[in-house]
Amino acid sequence: MSGPTTAEKRGTREPKGSSEPDSSRPGARNEGFRAPGARLLLIALGLVLVVAGGIWALFGSSWLRVERVSTSGTRVLTPREVEEVAAVPIGSPLVSVDTDAIEARLLRKLPRIDTVEVFRSWPHGIGLKVTERQPVLVVEKGGKFIEVDSVGTRFATVDKVPSGVPKLLLKAGSAPSLRRFDEDRLLREAVGVTGELPEKIARDTRVVGVTSYDSITLELSGGRTVFWGSGEDGAVKARVLTTLMKAVPKAGHFDVSAPTAPAASGS
């Protein structure tokens, strides 16, 4: 009867049917990674398809194209005038419309426009939200009237004076002050004065006369006049003038050029 083999004695017998993978076989270590790799590939392909579909929807399909333009905020201008200058490319993909270029074109060609917002109105529209300049003075020239806004910008020429807007009468001529302040500066000074006037007095103002930087006069309804002086201390002068008019309601001339020593005269 034969005895145990050397391997059996040492306890190194290899069990039959071992479940451990044989790392010596080619590719044995990668078998466990095949399924996750396939899933990642499918996810990547799905993302590519989604992106490609989105690009096609934005640029290639007929779903998101410009079909209409809407304009709001116009007062003197008409929506049609604004839209003709805007020249929005009807039929183009909405995402490709250059809204900055449209805004720049409107501001350049329609100086009556102070600000404009150009925006996409999904899925088929472009919106134009317009704010027009408002005249605070008009300058007569050649039988017509140039409108001037609150920052001194001349922006439009009209045939008649808009209701409630005073005329600016520049009487500086060859006054010495013109050597220091040109007509544009004097115009801005006059604009600044109109911005300081109380609402009731502003409504009554018919003419703003400017002889020099420190000689601005208001002509009010009923033949009344106000010597304002320079544009400095405008808010103080406005309060003083309001008080003076209440104290001497029948006066025909008011002087607030030195607001600490106002005066009223005439009747």
Side-chain angles (χ1 to χ4, degrees):
M1 200 173 166
S2 60
T5 65
T6 304
E8 288 174 343
K9 290 179 179 179
R10 295 177 179 174
T12 57
R13 180 181 295 178
E14 183 177 323
K16 296 181 179 180
S18 174
S19 60
E20 292 296 325
D22 185 357
S23 60
S24 64
R25 289 186 294 117
R29 295 182 180 179
N30 297 327
E31 287 179 352
F33 297 97
R34 286 178 181 173
R39 283 197 297 271
L40 290 175
L41 179 59
L42 288 174
I43 292 172
L45 288 174
L47 290 175
V48 169
L49 289 174
V50 169
V51 172
I55 293 174
W56 176 81
L58 289 173
F59 292 95
S61 76
S62 60
W63 301 341
L64 303 174
R65 292 182 177 268
V66 181
E67 295 180 0
R68 62 182 178 274
V69 180
S70 59
T71 301
S72 62
T74 54
R75 295 167 60 91
V76 177
L77 296 170
T78 66
R80 183 175 179 178
E81 287 176 306
V82 174
E83 289 163 17
E84 285 180 353
V85 172
V88 176
I90 300 297
S92 297
L94 190 58
V95 72
S96 70
V97 174
D98 190 340
T99 56
D100 290 339
I102 293 173
E103 176 183 342
R105 185 159 56 247
L106 287 168
L107 294 175
R108 184 177 67 254
K109 293 188 176 182
L110 294 175
R112 183 176 290 279
I113 294 178
D114 187 16
T115 62
V116 59
E117 180 186 354
V118 183
F119 57 93
R120 295 176 178 84
S121 180
W122 299 94
H124 301 298
I126 289 290
L128 309 173
K129 186 177 181 181
V130 172
T131 301
E132 294 184 7
R133 298 181 189 274
Q134 299 300 311
V136 298
L137 288 171
V138 293
V139 179
E140 187 172 5
K141 185 176 182 180
K144 294 185 180 293
F145 302 93
I146 301 171
E147 293 180 308
V148 181
D149 72 0
S150 60
V151 294
T153 301
R154 298 176 173 92
F155 64 89
T157 300
V158 294
D159 294 327
K160 60 181 182 179
V161 179
S163 177
V165 179
K167 295 180 184 179
L168 172 63
L169 185 58
L170 286 171
K171 301 178 289 185
S174 58
S177 63
L178 282 179
R179 287 194 288 269
R180 293 181 57 201
F181 308 105
D182 60 17
E183 287 194 358
D184 284 341
R185 173 62 187 275
L186 296 180
L187 182 149
R188 290 195 296 272
E189 291 298 317
V191 165
V193 170
T194 62
E196 298 285 5
L197 295 177
E199 185 178 349
K200 185 178 184 305
I201 298 174
R203 287 199 306 267
D204 286 343
T205 303
R206 300 292 180 263
V207 176
V208 178
V210 181
T211 303
S212 66
Y213 173 80
D214 56 0
S215 181
I216 299 174
T217 302
L218 310 178
E219 295 180 19
L220 310 182
S221 60
R224 297 169 297 163
T225 59
V226 177
F227 183 57
W228 192 270
S230 71
E232 298 175 0
D233 300 319
V236 176
K237 291 177 180 179
R239 290 195 296 270
V240 170
L241 179 59
T242 300
T243 302
L244 193 60
M245 285 183 159
K246 289 179 179 178
V248 193
K250 294 184 179 180
H253 179 72
F254 304 89
D255 186 340
V256 292
S257 58
T260 55
S265 61
S267 59

